[in-house]
Amino acid sequence: MHINQAAKQLNTTPRTIRFYEEKELVSPQKDAKNDYRTFTDHDLLRLSTILALREIGMQIDTIKGVLDNPDMSMNDYLNVQRSALFEKWIEMKDMIHTIDQMIEKTTEDDSPTDTIVALAKHLKNMKNLRKSWEDKWHFDDQAAGYDQNIKMAGYRFNVHQDYDKALSKAAETTNLQPNDVCVDIGVGTGNLGAKFFDKGARIIGIDQSEEMLKVCAEKYPAIETRKGHFLALPLLDNQADAIVSSYALHHIPDDEKLLALDEMNRVLKTNGQVCVVDLMFNDTQHRTDIMRYFGENGNLEAIDAIEDEFYADRSKLTEWLATNGYHVETYQFNTTLSMIYARR
Ligand SMILES: C[S@@+](CC[C@H](N)C(=O)[O-])C[C@H]1O[C@@H](n2cnc3c(N)ncnc32)[C@H](O)[C@@H]1O
């Protein structure tokens, strides 16, 4: 088939096809005498894939990777693309929301410049916050040995004390019906998400670590894995019946935790539930008392472990949830491990 026919069949232009040829995405046979290109069925299939991937906004280099990298499947790349689009979409939503607020202020106020500058600054801060998080714990490297490491108790401080009990309690408390959507954020190797199988729920596991997601998908093929992070969940609004999370929230700084709750709130359905099992203190006084206790007992292992992470102040999370229309319950497993269950 010649280029004009190929373009017609694919509903595109010969110019577009030549562009992809220049970018070495497709290489049809060329007649040495007249330079006419011949497109085989294989070329047409490749071109239609390229056109589809361009349609969802994928960059040329990424498409090259999809088509030529045997280690990454099409599914892997589509996942990456979906997360990137969700991040952009969330950023656009923030911008539109800020513009709405600016319009409101300019209608109400005669000299709104200060407010507009403040709103723009807030928007910039939000953008930076969403992008600034770094995985200083290298979860990709931890993925293969993670399940084994959970079983190893620390010498004088065991963060995984009551791990099984806490995950079971979260599964027992969260009320799900068959086909309900349950999102597990920071799914890791899937230990919490898998506890919801017997309720017949559809589990979506989100994690920032591709290696964790791979282990999770191998262990539990029924968990749908998606790359994403607490501040940009790869989900549309009002999609989830429940959001669960275990041992993940303490990896984001305190000022981001409330934004994370806001992001959960966005994707939850009206009567949605949140169930977070994590390392946290009841409030600042509790943290002070516990840190003093470890200090007085020379337990540097505990102090270092706590200071390396961002154990939440439970009272701030529950206050946010109550203020935003949730009925909140808490449960404490040990000094530093708690569960927050909230229903809107
Ligand atoms: C300690 S593991 C917990 C895994 C699992 N939930 C469990 O209970 O065993 C923490 C997981 O949270 C993920 N995580 C940490 N920070 C995250 C973030 N900001 N967004 C998404 N996932 C995050 C890590 O990649 C890791 O897989």
Side-chain angles (χ1 to χ4, degrees), residues 133-135 137-140 142-143 146-147 150 160 163 167 184-193 206-213 226-233 244-253 256 277-279 309:
W133 189 84
E134 268 176 52
D135 180 3
W137 301 274
H138 309 289
F139 281 107
D140 275 346
Q142 288 192 37
Y146 179 76
D147 284 342
I150 289 173
H160 290 111
Y163 176 84
L167 267 55
D184 181 353
I185 312 179
V187 65
T189 60
N191 295 340
L192 177 60
I206 295 174
D207 207 290
Q208 58 81 37
S209 155
E210 279 173 25
E211 292 305 314
M212 283 286 191
L213 290 175
R226 296 188 182 189
K227 189 166 157 66
H229 60 86
F230 271 110
L231 302 189
L233 299 175
V244 298
S245 183
S246 56
Y247 284 84
L249 197 65
H250 68 281
H251 295 108
I252 60 173
E256 294 179 26
V277 165
D278 210 352
L279 300 164
E309 300 183 326

Side-chain angles (χ1 to χ4, degrees), residues 45-60:
L45 186 67
R46 198 170 159 100
L47 272 168
S48 61
T49 310
I50 296 166
L51 290 165
L53 295 177
R54 287 295 289 157
E55 203 61 51
I56 57 162
M58 205 178 264
Q59 304 283 327
I60 298 286

